[in-house]
């Protein structure tokens, strides 16, 4: 019988249980990636994610060929693909990792399970990163995650017998360029990280070999963190390397450390790995939060501001650290955690935008977009449990604290490259500002943030948004920054 290995966000050969279980049967295997229009189009996913997937699949194709097999790809809905396989080769068994994502992927998985069940076919699903599915998942997570992570890593098979392509219709192919026909929106990138299992392991190796030594100190630095952070996030998001491989190799590195500070750095990183998986557990338990507000109480304090969104989304707000962060993200697909929170807070609090559009826009830019991690951060920043936990950032203070010499700003906002350090985060105070090809601040950030706190406190205390419309005119007059009178 044929064994179909359905690849999703697990694009590797090493430590891949679905592949291992299929291989152990010693029967033909069909390793298959399905680009599903309902998952990719009109969603938060973008062309840069597909670009990363294609690079990963090309790397995977090379790995399968070295083992004597092939990797296959097609563009269609999963149920349609299963029907095609069933008509071409007859009964088969399906193997896949569980995908812990948005309601869209959750509903797709339910349909696939039902399709297989209706035809009396076996569908084996396996834990992906220690995340628990079903009732009592939060209670079981800690114990199950530890057991999962400590299980020995599965080596890649030494040879693989895959199905002959001639048996399959031409729509299921080994030609990865097929994905170029798949049209989705977003921005391509030239300077971001490339996908592939080999690159994932090289990145981990370079981090454990020495890049980690200032991991804790530089986490908040938008420029230094590009080197001192692990940069494994896109490889974990699309499964080029398994969480188990990363944790076990990190623990080995900790044991081999001679310096106590080096151990502290790696232990800090290791603790983030469990936190990473706990966030994925969160979206597994609360998939509705990819679409709905975590705390609707604060929603009436926000509105739609198209001009504000457009300037924010292009990095043209007039606040150098905000604009540098957005332009860096557009160019490279990566930002450190604090800069991500700052961009979200500035859009949803300071500019008072409804959270959904900025959140989905950022998801489309992050090459390492992982639904659980992304939407958990969105709701921690945008939908706190109470006013006491509201994250409001002053971009002037943020810039002065984390980019005091303006190196990050000058790298991504070249209009300001000749502005002195003392004015780099407040260029409108510089005598030569009007000769710069740069924007004035979109708001008076001090007044805007004070107004946000007042509005949100009012909404929280009243429990509704009845005073929203009455405050709109006054609020807008308060926050618009008049460059010529400040």
């Amino acid at each position: 019988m044929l064994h179909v290995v359905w690849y999703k966000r697990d694009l590797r050969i090493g430590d891949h249980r679905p592949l291992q279980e299929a291989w152990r049967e010693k029967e033909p295997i069909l390793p298959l990636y399905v680009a599903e229009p309902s998952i990719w189009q009109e969603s938060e996913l973008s062309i840069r994610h597909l670009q990363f997937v294609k690079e990963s699949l090309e790397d995977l194709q090379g790995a399968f060929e070295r083992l004597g097999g092939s990797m296959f790809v097609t563009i269609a809905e999963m149920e349609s693909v299963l029907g095609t396989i069933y008509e071409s080769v007859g009964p088969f068994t399906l193997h896949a990792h569980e995908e812990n994502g948005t309601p869209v992927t959750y509903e797709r998985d339910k349909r696939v399970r039902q399709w297989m069940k209706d035809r009396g076919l076996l569908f084996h699903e396996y834990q992906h990163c220690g995340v628990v599915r079903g009732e009592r998942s939060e209670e079981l997570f800690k114990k199950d995650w530890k057991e999962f992570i400590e299980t020995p890593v599965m080596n890649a098979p030494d040879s693989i017998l895959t199905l002959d392509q001639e048996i399959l219709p031409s729509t299921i192919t080994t030609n990865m360029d097929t994905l170029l026909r798949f049209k989705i929106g977003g921005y391509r990138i030239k300077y971001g990280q490339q996908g592939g299992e080999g690159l994932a392991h090289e990145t981990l190796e370079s981090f454990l070999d020495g890049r980690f030594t200032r991991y804790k100190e530089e986490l908040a630095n938008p420029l230094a963190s590009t080197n001192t952070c692990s940069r494994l996030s896109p490889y974990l998001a699309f499964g080029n390397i398994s969480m188990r491989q990363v944790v076990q190799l990190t623990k080995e590195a900790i044991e081999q450390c001679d310096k106590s500070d080096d151990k502290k750095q790696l232990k800090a990183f290791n603790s983030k790995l469990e936190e990473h998986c706990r966030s994925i557990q969160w979206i597994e338990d609360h998939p509705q939060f990819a679409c709905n507000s975590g705390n609707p109480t604060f929603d009436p304090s926000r509105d739609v501001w198209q001009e504000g969104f457009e300037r924010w989304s292009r990095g043209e707000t007039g606040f150098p650290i905000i604009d540098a962060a957005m332009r860096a993200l557009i160019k490279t697909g990566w930002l450190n955690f604090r800069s991500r929170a700052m961009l979200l807070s500035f859009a949803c609090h300071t500019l008072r935008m409804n959270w959904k559009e900025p959140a989905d826009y950022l998801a489309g830019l992050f090459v390492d977009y992982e639904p659980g991690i992304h939407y958990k951060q969105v709701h921690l920043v945008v939908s706190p449990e109470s006013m006491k936990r509201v994250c409001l950032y002053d971009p002037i203070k943020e810039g002065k604290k984390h980019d005091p010499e303006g190196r990050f700003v000058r790298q991504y906002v070249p209009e300001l490259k000749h502005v002195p350090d003392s004015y780099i985060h407040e260029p409108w105070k510089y005598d030569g500002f009007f000769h710069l090809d740069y924007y004035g601040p979109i708001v008076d950030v001090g007044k805007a943030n004070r107004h946000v706190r007042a509005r949100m406190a009012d909404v929280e205390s009243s429990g509704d948004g009845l005073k929203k419309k009455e405050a709109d005119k006054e609020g807008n007059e308060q926050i618009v920054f008049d460059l010529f009178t400040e």
Side-chain angles (χ1 to χ4, degrees), residues 297-298 300-302 349-350 352 387-388 390 392 445-465 467-468 471 474-475 478-479:
T297 302
F298 295 137
S301 67
R302 304 189 181 99
H349 290 320
T350 307
R352 291 176 20 211
M387 267 297 299
K388 295 178 181 179
V390 171
L392 279 177
V445 73
K447 289 182 180 179
N449 283 351
R450 287 193 297 273
H451 187 64
V452 168
R453 288 188 184 279
R455 286 169 60 90
M456 293 182 74
D458 181 61
V459 169
E460 185 179 40
S461 62
S462 66
D464 59 52
K467 299 181 181 179
K468 172 181 178 292
E474 177 188 356
Q478 276 189 320
I479 67 175

Side-chain angles (χ1 to χ4, degrees), residues 376-391:
K376 186 172 184 179
Q377 182 183 36
V378 168
H379 291 299
L380 285 173
V381 172
V382 176
S383 302
E385 295 178 1
S386 70
M387 267 297 299
K388 295 178 181 179
R389 298 190 177 185
V390 171
C391 297

